[in-house]
């Protein structure tokens, strides 16, 4: 389990095509608020024939954001570049010039045994070239993790590869829609992805393999308007949290406040977490009633839950009721 709130702070990761020319002004004007992260995508959201132009748009946008930040105070989100291929990482980092200072890292799509070594090698190399830490967020969405005959071996082999650069892995991400596409699934706004058993089983395997060592972010929710879209999102976030996910990909600004609320910590949980972590080691008993006298806190059993609760509270804040 990661022992720093940084890994829990990506939160609502808003996806945006890298060629969207208005994105720099939107960031500078704080159009999306003051609590989100941003992914500038060069992959699925860009027509194959326009990648070179999109790269130039991305470079211009990031330099505008960086230059503006030198003279004007505004919320600067964690910004990630979603590349298509490993070789884009160092090339773009060098082409950005000072604009790389506005970048938190790179998103690695369709992370698989075919590209893992190349991606990791490029991430290590770019961190040797640039005098700032650049993180990576691999996405588990390729067909290679679907086949039950090889799934466990594939997931553990990928984890072994990541061990070479574990401190650079900010989050593990899952591609819910890509995985659903393999089966022809698409959920309605009233349906949680965790009710789709083949996908839920896949998620469970990913959390089992990676959840003790990495923060794993929840899948995208594609609804941002219409009847009860926000309730559906809130319900799925509840399922995400219960199943071991932290944070969520957003495809529209409307989703950001819902995601942020969904990861706030109740004051009751926060108090209990503080009590567990502050337990008097001289006590004869390592179990006690909670602050609200509704459940039992156990020092040995609830240590990891308590640490994660404190880090989430640091990243998202607390609320009176949840």
């Amino acid at each position: 389990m990661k022992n720093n709130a940084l890994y829990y702070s990506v939160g609502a990761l808003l996806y945006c095509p890298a060629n969207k020319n208005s994105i720099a002004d939107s960031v500078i004007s704080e159009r999306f608020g003051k609590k989100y992260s941003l992914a500038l995508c060069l992959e699925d959201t860009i027509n194959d024939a326009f990648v070179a132009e999109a790269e130039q748009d991305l470079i211009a946008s990031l330099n505008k954001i960086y230059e503006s930040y030198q003279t004007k105070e505004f919320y600067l989100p964690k910004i990630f570049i979603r590349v298509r291929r490993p070789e884009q990482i160092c090339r773009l980092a060098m082409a950005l010039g000072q604009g790389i200072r506005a970048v938190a890292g790179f998103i690695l799509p369709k992370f698989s045994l075919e590209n893992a070594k190349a991606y990791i090698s490029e991430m290590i190399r770019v961190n040797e070239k640039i005098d700032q830490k650049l993180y990576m967020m691999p996405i588990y969405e390729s067909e290679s993790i679907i086949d039950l005959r090889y799934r466990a071996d594939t997931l553990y082999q990928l984890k072994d590869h990541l061990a070479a650069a574990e401190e650079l892995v900010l989050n593990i991400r899952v591609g819910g829609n890509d995985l659903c596409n393999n089966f022809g699934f698409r959920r309605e706004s009233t349906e949680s992805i965790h009710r789709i058993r083949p996908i839920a089983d896949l998620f469970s395997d990913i959390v089992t393999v990676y959840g003790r060592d990495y923060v794993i972010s929840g899948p995208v929710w594609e609804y941002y308007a219409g009847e009860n879209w926000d309730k559906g999102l809130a319900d799925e976030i509840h399922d995400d949290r219960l199943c071991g996910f932290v944070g969520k990909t957003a495809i529209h600004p409307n989703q950001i406040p819902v995601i942020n609320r969904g990861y706030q910590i109740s004051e009751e949980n926060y108090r209990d977490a503080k009590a567990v972590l502050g337990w008097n080691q001289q006590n004869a008993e390592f179990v006690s009633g909670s602050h609200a006298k509704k459940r039992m806190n156990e020092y040995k059993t609830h240590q990891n839950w308590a640490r994660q609760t404190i880090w989430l509270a640091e990243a998202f804040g607390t609320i009176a009721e949840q």
Side-chain angles (χ1 to χ4, degrees):
M1 179 177 292
K2 291 301 181 185
N3 60 352
N4 191 305
L6 171 68
Y7 295 92
Y8 298 83
S9 66
V10 176
L13 179 65
L14 179 64
Y15 261 63
C16 175
N19 62 357
K20 192 173 183 65
N21 293 322
S22 63
I23 190 63
D25 288 334
S26 294
V27 172
I28 294 165
S29 66
E30 298 182 341
R31 178 187 167 200
F32 308 132
K34 297 184 178 182
K35 199 167 188 61
Y36 71 99
S37 299
L38 180 65
L40 298 178
C41 181
L42 288 165
E43 202 221 3
D44 288 346
T45 63
I46 302 296
N47 185 316
D48 294 350
F50 293 89
V51 176
E53 291 90 335
E55 288 183 354
Q56 294 307 308
D57 292 333
L58 177 142
I59 291 169
S61 294
L62 286 170
N63 275 283
K64 184 174 182 179
I65 291 170
Y66 174 76
E67 290 166 7
S68 297
Y69 196 64
Q70 306 313 299
T71 59
K72 178 182 177 181
E73 184 175 336
F74 58 89
Y75 171 73
L76 182 64
K78 293 180 181 67
I79 301 177
F80 302 90
I81 301 172
R82 175 168 165 148
V83 295
R84 288 181 166 227
R85 300 174 299 277
E87 58 267 24
Q88 284 178 298
I89 293 172
C90 280
R91 179 168 58 79
L92 282 172
M94 302 309 294
L96 276 164
Q98 288 297 306
I100 193 65
R101 303 297 179 194
V103 177
F106 292 86
I107 297 171
L108 317 180
K110 298 173 179 61
F111 192 68
S112 66
L113 291 176
E114 287 68 37
N115 58 34
K117 286 185 178 179
Y119 269 130
I120 294 166
S121 176
E122 285 298 291
M123 285 303 308
I124 292 173
R125 190 157 77 95
V126 77
N127 273 279
E128 292 171 346
K129 287 177 172 288
I130 306 294
D131 61 344
Q132 71 186 77
K133 183 170 281 190
L134 293 169
Y135 292 94
M136 60 176 163
M137 298 198 294
I139 310 180
Y140 286 63
E141 58 185 348
S142 73
E143 293 184 20
S144 64
I145 60 173
I146 291 177
D147 195 323
L148 281 170
R149 293 171 296 180
Y150 314 111
R151 182 183 298 169
D153 285 345
T154 299
L155 292 175
Y156 278 108
Q157 285 183 62
L158 288 172
K159 187 181 183 186
D160 288 342
H161 287 317
L162 285 177
E166 181 177 337
E167 75 282 358
L168 300 178
V169 182
L170 193 60
N171 283 179
I172 301 290
R173 308 194 75 84
V174 294
N177 283 353
D178 283 79
L179 294 172
C180 282
N181 183 53
N182 285 281
F183 300 94
F185 298 150
R186 187 177 191 181
R187 63 201 186 279
E188 299 293 336
S189 64
T190 56
E191 299 168 332
S192 166
I193 198 169
H194 298 281
R195 291 171 53 191
I196 306 175
R197 280 304 298 270
I199 306 303
D201 289 347
L202 244 170
F203 287 172
S204 177
D205 290 340
I206 292 170
V207 172
T208 299
V209 174
Y210 294 88
R212 290 183 295 173
D213 302 296
Y214 297 96
V215 174
I216 308 171
S217 180
V220 67
W221 177 261
E222 61 185 349
Y223 297 93
Y224 58 87
E227 187 176 0
N228 291 327
W229 72 269
D230 49 348
K231 182 182 184 303
L233 173 55
D235 289 345
E236 184 167 286
I237 291 171
H238 179 272
D239 291 345
D240 287 347
R241 289 185 62 171
L242 191 61
C243 295
F245 295 96
V246 175
K248 203 166 184 66
T249 298
I251 47 82
H252 193 278
N254 286 354
Q255 297 177 335
I256 294 173
V258 182
I259 295 171
N260 286 332
R261 284 196 302 272
Y263 281 93
Q264 288 182 311
I265 297 299
S266 71
E267 291 179 0
E268 180 180 341
N269 279 341
Y270 183 75
R271 284 194 298 267
D272 283 356
K274 295 283 281 186
V276 169
L277 296 178
W279 210 286
N280 185 344
Q281 301 297 297
Q282 305 307 313
N283 283 353
E285 295 180 345
F286 273 1
V287 61
S288 176
S290 67
H291 183 272
K293 303 303 180 186
K294 296 196 305 188
R295 61 185 179 184
M296 296 301 291
N297 287 332
E298 296 187 51
Y299 171 71
K300 292 184 177 180
T301 303
H302 295 128
Q303 281 281 311
N304 287 334
W305 168 84
R307 292 190 187 98
Q308 186 182 82
T309 297
I310 297 301
W311 293 324
L312 284 170
E314 185 176 333
F316 295 96
T318 60
I319 55 174
E321 296 293 337
Q322 190 170 33

